[in-house]
Amino acid sequence: MDKRNNNGISRRTALKRMAMLMAGASCLGLPTLTSCDMETKKRIILYFTATGNCLYVARELADKHTELLSIPQMMKQKRYTFEADEIGLVYPVYGHMPPNMVREFINKARLTARYKFAILTYGNRKCCSVEIWDDISRKAGCAFDYITTMIMVDNWLPNFDMNEQIKIDKHIPESLDRITADINSHRRWHEPVTELERQQHAGFLKSSGVNPEVGFKMISQEAFAVTDSCIGCGICTEVCPRGNYTLTSTGVKTEGDCEFCFACIHNCPQKAIVFKQLKEVNPNARYRNEHVSLWSIKEANRQNKPTE
Ligand SMILES: Cc1cc2nc3c(=O)[nH]c(=O)nc-3n(C[C@H](O)[C@H](O)[C@H](O)COP(=O)(O)O)c2cc1C
Ligand code: SF4
Ligand code: SF4
């Protein structure tokens, strides 16, 4: 999926490394086009991820001055105040809306920055997700200067076969190039939304019965079951951003308010977590972004102490 040069690295990665080298050389007194006098901007990127797409994007938009922070970890620490030159948010759209934790976070957060950007990843249909975020963030008193979407693998198991999704070229390097150029130049822009997209979202709300004020807020014991294939590895207890899974003497239990993020179902190595009410296109296919390790998903979402 990644466009690579002869050295096996992408063009954008090569450019990013070159910029970092030039900045380093300049600081050592070597002649370069940059200067140590240049203001170094501090960027904070806050992300929410279940299967790694948003973490990958957050990492790709980071430079050496960037602080990458997981929203579930910030909420666990009750940390809601952030100050930097630039603050970005990366999250997956669920029914074109943000995950509940992201809503909860933005309602409590105080983000102080000269430039605020939001990248919304999706897999197939973004509809008016940009307007939805604009509305939610404005109501929270935290308007964003730049909001855009980025298409990636769609991890929605009821409609998509992950083995097929990973074969589709979603032009990820091109999207990252576009977004990198935009945010580096502090572009103030909201990706336009069409009337058809607004109608499609309204149609989705009507047919699904999903409450737009809440989005996909589920109850995990009603949504998921654990089958006999479970080997008690404990991964689900660490990848759930709500901390809904526990290992008990009688097996794995899940309960609590659920984001419906699918971190548990996608990351279970035994495919022992199944939907109680929904059918899957391919129950044997699961997904995690190829650049993101299981450890990173645990690190991003873990609500309990590490088991290792
Ligand atoms: C509950 C749920 C709802 C989703 N709704 C949409 C949607 O409305 N439109 C869409 O294109 N993708 C949708 N997706 C796909 C994700 O937004 C997409 O795969 C995202 O990149 C996943 O990010 P992550 O890997 O960081 O978790 C949905 C996924 C889930 C789990
Ligand atoms: S991740 Fe899967 S196999 Fe591991 S404990 Fe949880 S349900 Fe069982
Ligand atoms: S139970 Fe599963 S879907 Fe629900 S919040 Fe936890 S990891 Fe996400």
Side-chain angles (χ1 to χ4, degrees), residues 225-227 229-239 245-247 251-252 264-265 267-273:
V226 178
T227 69
S229 315
C230 170
I231 51 165
C233 67
I235 287 172
C236 51
T237 67
E238 295 193 78
V239 297
Y245 283 84
T246 40
L247 290 178
V252 170
C264 53
I265 193 165
N267 289 298
C268 169
Q270 293 296 106
K271 303 183 182 77
I273 300 174

Side-chain angles (χ1 to χ4, degrees), residues 220 224 239-242 244-245 254 257-265:
S220 71
F224 300 106
V239 297
C240 173
R242 286 270 175 193
N244 284 354
Y245 283 84
T254 183
D257 284 346
C258 167
E259 298 291 317
F260 220 40
C261 67
F262 294 5
C264 53
I265 193 165

Side-chain angles (χ1 to χ4, degrees), residues 49-54 92-93 95-96 121-125 153-155 260:
T49 197
T51 55
N53 287 349
C54 294
V93 303
H96 327 124
T121 78
Y122 73 104
N124 184 59
R125 209 171 69 157
V153 161
D154 199 314
N155 66 4
F260 220 40

Side-chain angles (χ1 to χ4, degrees), residues 103 105-109 133-143:
R103 286 184 198 237
F105 176 78
I106 203 68
N107 282 323
K108 293 183 179 166
W133 180 249
D134 186 38
D135 188 49
I136 290 174
S137 55
R138 270 179 205 284
K139 282 184 183 147
C142 184

Side-chain angles (χ1 to χ4, degrees), residues 157-228:
L157 291 164
N159 283 17
F160 300 103
D161 178 344
M162 296 302 110
N163 294 343
E164 295 304 317
Q165 274 292 303
I166 56 171
K167 291 182 198 156
I168 304 170
D169 183 358
K170 305 232 180 178
H171 302 283
I172 290 167
E174 291 86 340
S175 296
L176 286 169
D177 280 347
R178 165 181 69 85
I179 296 167
T180 302
D182 283 350
I183 62 176
N184 284 348
S185 64
H186 281 194
R187 184 175 185 203
R188 289 172 197 276
W189 179 73
H190 290 180
E191 188 180 304
V193 168
T194 64
E195 190 46 41
L196 178 65
E197 287 177 317
R198 284 185 203 106
Q199 284 169 12
Q200 283 172 339
H201 178 64
F204 158 77
L205 289 178
K206 204 168 163 198
S207 62
S208 65
V210 169
N211 176 353
E213 298 302 318
V214 181
F216 277 84
K217 195 167 192 173
M218 312 294 269
I219 306 288
S220 71
Q221 65 270 33
E222 290 174 6
F224 300 106
V226 178
T227 69
D228 290 346

